[in-house]
Amino acid sequence: MESVKGTTVQITDEGPTSQNAGKGLSTVTTLIFSAAAGLSVANVYYAQPLLDAMAQDFGISPSAIGLVVTLTQLGYALGLIFIVPLGDLVDRRRLVLAQGILSVLALVAVATARTEAFLFASLAAMGVLAVVVQALVAFAATLATPAERGKAVGMVTSGVVVGILGARFFAGLLADLGGWRAVYMTSAVLTAIMVGILIRVLPRQLSPNSTESYGATLRSIPVLFLRDPVLLVRGLLALLVFATFSTFWTALVLPLSTPPYSYSHTQIGLFGLFGMAGAIAAAGAGRLADRGLGQWTTGLSLMLLFAAWGLIAMLPVLLFLLLVGVVLLDLAVQAVHVTNQSIILARHPNASSRLVGGYMVFYSIGSAIGAISSTMAYAQAGWTGVSILGAGFSALALIVWATTLRLSAAEAQ
């Protein structure tokens, strides 16, 4: 029981009371969670290679079309703060299914939008509902046994990263075949199919063991991170590694879309497929966290992340080295991300949804910082500037890890 500014916040570590909670997840069910998470998060990133087509269709100026990405990300951030924590208060099964059904409607609205205002409103709604991803991560962590929590989180999170990296390629390819609207309509159909599958596999009678009000639950999020140094450090690491991640993926299109490469959006999207290899390989980081090796897994991954930028910086010289760097970068970022979530979810199992929501706010801030600063760095110093920036974020994350090694005992699973 904690009290902050007169507000009593009850956090217990017994986990939710349910016939299904803590009894484990089958591999098939975990893979379905992973696929659903990847499909949902991809909705946030489809627009990136479609901006030109959208601007032409609606007669929107190049400067204003950036609102497509901004509003989607803003909606996602609002969903993290106001929807994800509901998983600690209501039936998670109903919450996930409701978001899935509403996502189908939002995707159809985007695909059929005829006015600029309706398009922007639909994209913002879609962003809000895309946070079903985090509900699935928290759901999986709750259902898994303590000994397999990291493994489950790792598999589901791998689906998230695959969705992020695959979205650009999928959107570019499908848009080339049927236009940008086909991307969102196809996603609506796939999401509807996934909702049907989730109706069959999501366990029933999951009742969170909480008597808190919605307002108290929201207020408890900063309390948790400010009062638990391990959570705060893991949040800071998330901010820095995703600033690195966003630095690379935001700026990559700039040199590759101009001579001597002059690649199309679809061709540039292929680079995401190389990143998938690293992201999938990092799923094992959750197993290491389950064994109490989360701190050292983090350190080794951050060293690898810093080294990856040495290869990425070689883009003007040898493209092959860039590809190797992409694999290493996504492997390292994903390993840290999985380890972070495994550790924070193990500390307060009964607050898993709000922990995921709060943690992902750090993620969003880091992504925004990386996106903004990378384009500025490229404008000032080209790809070398981007590489120095990414390496700088990586080095800072490594310093944060090294100076907080004393927390390793507190992280023991």
Side-chain angles (χ1 to χ4, degrees):
M1 188 84 70
E2 301 181 20
S3 179
V4 179
K5 293 183 180 181
T7 300
T8 300
V9 179
Q10 182 177 357
I11 303 293
T12 60
D13 293 330
E14 291 132 7
T17 58
S18 168
Q19 294 177 350
N20 305 92
K23 292 187 177 181
L25 279 170
S26 69
T27 300
V28 173
T29 301
T30 306
L31 288 174
I32 291 173
F33 271 54
S34 180
L39 181 61
S40 298
V41 77
N43 291 330
V44 180
Y45 294 89
Y46 286 142
Q48 291 182 352
L50 306 177
L51 294 180
D52 290 346
M54 288 181 172
Q56 184 176 1
D57 195 359
F58 286 92
I60 302 173
S61 67
S63 60
I65 194 60
L67 282 172
V68 167
V69 176
T70 302
L71 289 173
T72 304
Q73 293 289 348
L74 177 60
Y76 192 76
L78 291 174
L80 288 174
I81 297 171
F82 295 107
I83 293 182
V84 173
L86 282 172
D88 292 333
L89 301 176
V90 302
D91 186 329
R92 285 194 178 97
R93 182 178 189 274
R94 293 183 178 179
L95 181 62
V96 168
L97 294 178
Q99 289 180 84
I101 293 170
L102 292 174
S103 292
V104 173
L105 298 178
L107 287 163
V108 171
V110 173
T112 58
R114 296 302 172 189
T115 66
E116 179 181 328
F118 192 73
L119 174 69
F120 287 162
S122 300
L123 285 166
M126 186 189 69
V128 170
L129 295 166
V131 297
V132 67
V133 173
Q134 310 312 326
L136 287 166
V137 172
F139 205 160
T142 301
L143 295 173
T145 62
E148 295 184 340
R149 183 178 290 117
K151 176 183 176 182
V153 170
M155 291 182 68
V156 176
T157 307
S158 291
V160 174
V161 177
V162 168
I164 293 172
L165 295 175
R168 178 183 288 274
F169 172 71
F170 175 82
L173 180 62
L174 200 56
D176 287 343
L177 296 175
W180 71 267
R181 295 179 186 274
V183 176
Y184 291 99
M185 189 59 74
T186 301
S187 184
V189 173
L190 293 176
T191 301
I193 294 172
M194 184 56 65
V195 169
I197 295 173
L198 290 174
I199 288 174
R200 296 183 61 86
V201 302
L202 292 181
R204 298 177 181 274
Q205 299 178 344
L206 190 66
S207 304
N209 183 24
S210 176
T211 57
E212 291 182 74
S213 67
Y214 177 61
T217 298
L218 295 182
R219 289 191 294 271
S220 72
I221 298 174
V223 172
L224 285 167
F225 282 85
L226 291 174
R227 292 199 170 187
D228 190 332
V230 173
L231 300 185
L232 186 57
V233 167
R234 289 289 151 179
L236 291 174
L237 289 177
L239 188 154
L240 291 169
V241 298
F242 280 103
T244 300
F245 182 86
S246 183
T247 293
F248 175 77
W249 287 107
T250 300
L252 182 63
V253 67
L254 301 176
L256 293 184
S257 61
T258 57
Y261 301 106
S262 299
Y263 290 158
S264 68
H265 286 299
T266 300
Q267 290 173 313
I268 295 173
L270 287 172
F271 284 79
L273 301 183
F274 286 92
M276 285 185 192
I280 294 172
R287 298 185 182 92
L288 295 176
D290 288 335
R291 298 173 184 174
L293 300 174
Q295 185 77 313
W296 295 106
T297 301
T298 301
L300 291 174
S301 299
L302 291 174
M303 293 176 193
L304 188 64
L305 180 62
F306 181 73
W309 279 101
L311 299 174
I312 291 170
M314 301 301 291
L315 171 61
V317 179
L318 191 59
L319 188 60
F320 173 75
L321 293 180
L322 173 72
L323 296 177
V324 176
V326 169
V327 174
L328 295 181
L329 180 141
D330 286 317
L331 170 62
V333 169
Q334 172 70 348
V336 175
H337 187 40
V338 170
T339 304
N340 281 349
Q341 292 187 94
S342 299
I343 289 172
I344 68 172
L345 291 171
R347 294 187 68 76
H348 303 284
N350 208 35
S352 58
S353 291
R354 71 194 83 174
L355 283 177
V356 170
Y359 169 82
M360 291 301 294
V361 169
F362 286 94
Y363 161 104
S364 297
I365 294 172
S367 295
I369 291 173
I372 294 170
S373 57
S374 64
T375 53
M376 295 174 61
Y378 187 81
Q380 295 296 320
W383 190 249
T384 299
V386 172
S387 300
I388 292 173
L389 178 66
F393 284 134
S394 303
L396 187 55
L398 194 55
I399 292 171
V400 170
W401 170 80
T403 55
T404 56
L405 281 173
R406 62 183 179 80
L407 294 176
S408 58
E411 291 181 7
Q413 303 295 307

